[in-house]
Amino acid sequence: MFKFMSLKESIVKEQIPQHIAIIMDGNGRWAKKRGNQRIFGHRNGVNAVRAVTEAAGELGVKYLTLYAFSTENWNRPRPEIEALMSLLVSTINSETDTLLKNGVCLRTIGDTESLPPSVAAKLKEATAKTSGCNGLNLILALNYSSRWEITNAMTRIAKSVLDGQISPANITSETISSHLCTGGIPDPELIIRTSGEYRLSNFLLWQAAYSEFYFTDVLWPDFDKEELYRAIVDFQKRERRFGKISEQL
Ligand code: IPE
Ligand code: IPE
Ligand code: MG
């Protein structure tokens, strides 16, 4: 009998992106479609996080960055913010053992020190607990925005110049990269955004210089392993030229 190749089977193992970043969007609309409160969508979004983390680990992706809360998200209604913060804490509580078991190293990018103290403490605890893991690096972008990150990097570079540790003539693009929250982490080859929105919303502006973008109408709570495979298969069909022409590759 003729057998169709599954999406997973069509992935070229030798060309798995080492860093995938995802703008998880559409939780609110998912809930609204079901006549529910927005937080119901956020709660169901956790299932997608679990599925994608598992799939990325199984495929051998080294870094998975998930945009979970932007600095602009503080402008949302207060009850939603509070619900999101408590969801974050309860999810970390329930998932840390699984992360440890699967060798997943939890990390964060963003101004996590300015999060509510209980949230910041919980994050610190979970990142310390999993810091010895050497499987997938699961990076949560929390209280993150790229302009905040770049501004912060500029301030620190300026201080080092004043202290005489760096000379302006020696500032390179590596100097800037290494001062960002993602210092030491390779740029994402693939950035995914769900829910049919076509924008970056202040996410990884510097790091996305040569990323491939994948947009899908799927709302985040409906995103699953198959959707991740679909994105990777699509990514693998692209020709990444980095300014060159086809014939040079
Ligand atoms: C993404 O879903 C999750 C966060 C930004 C925290 P949204 O909450 O933005 O859902 P929509 O875009 O309103 O549907
Ligand atoms: C981007 O989603 C931020 C996160 C996914 C955490 P938003 O839903 O906040 O983005 P905008 O406001 O529609 O651009
Ligand atoms: Mg949104």
Side-chain angles (χ1 to χ4, degrees), residues 209-243:
Y210 264 105
S211 301
E212 295 293 332
F213 291 91
Y214 178 86
F215 297 102
T216 170
D217 287 339
V218 172
L219 303 173
W220 180 249
D222 289 329
F223 201 88
D224 57 11
K225 290 188 176 190
E226 285 297 304
E227 295 300 336
L228 183 71
Y229 301 151
R230 207 183 306 286
I232 295 175
V233 167
D234 190 271
F235 164 82
Q236 292 188 333
K237 290 189 196 133
R238 318 250 183 115
E239 183 178 71
R240 305 185 73 207
R241 291 189 288 279
F242 299 99

Side-chain angles (χ1 to χ4, degrees), residues 100-127:
L100 272 172
K101 199 178 77 200
N102 296 333
V104 178
C105 176
L106 183 71
R107 301 167 63 166
T108 60
I109 55 172
D111 186 6
T112 50
E113 279 163 27
S114 304
L115 287 167
S118 60
V119 180
K122 186 47 71 186
L123 283 168
K124 229 178 182 170
E125 182 191 312
T127 50

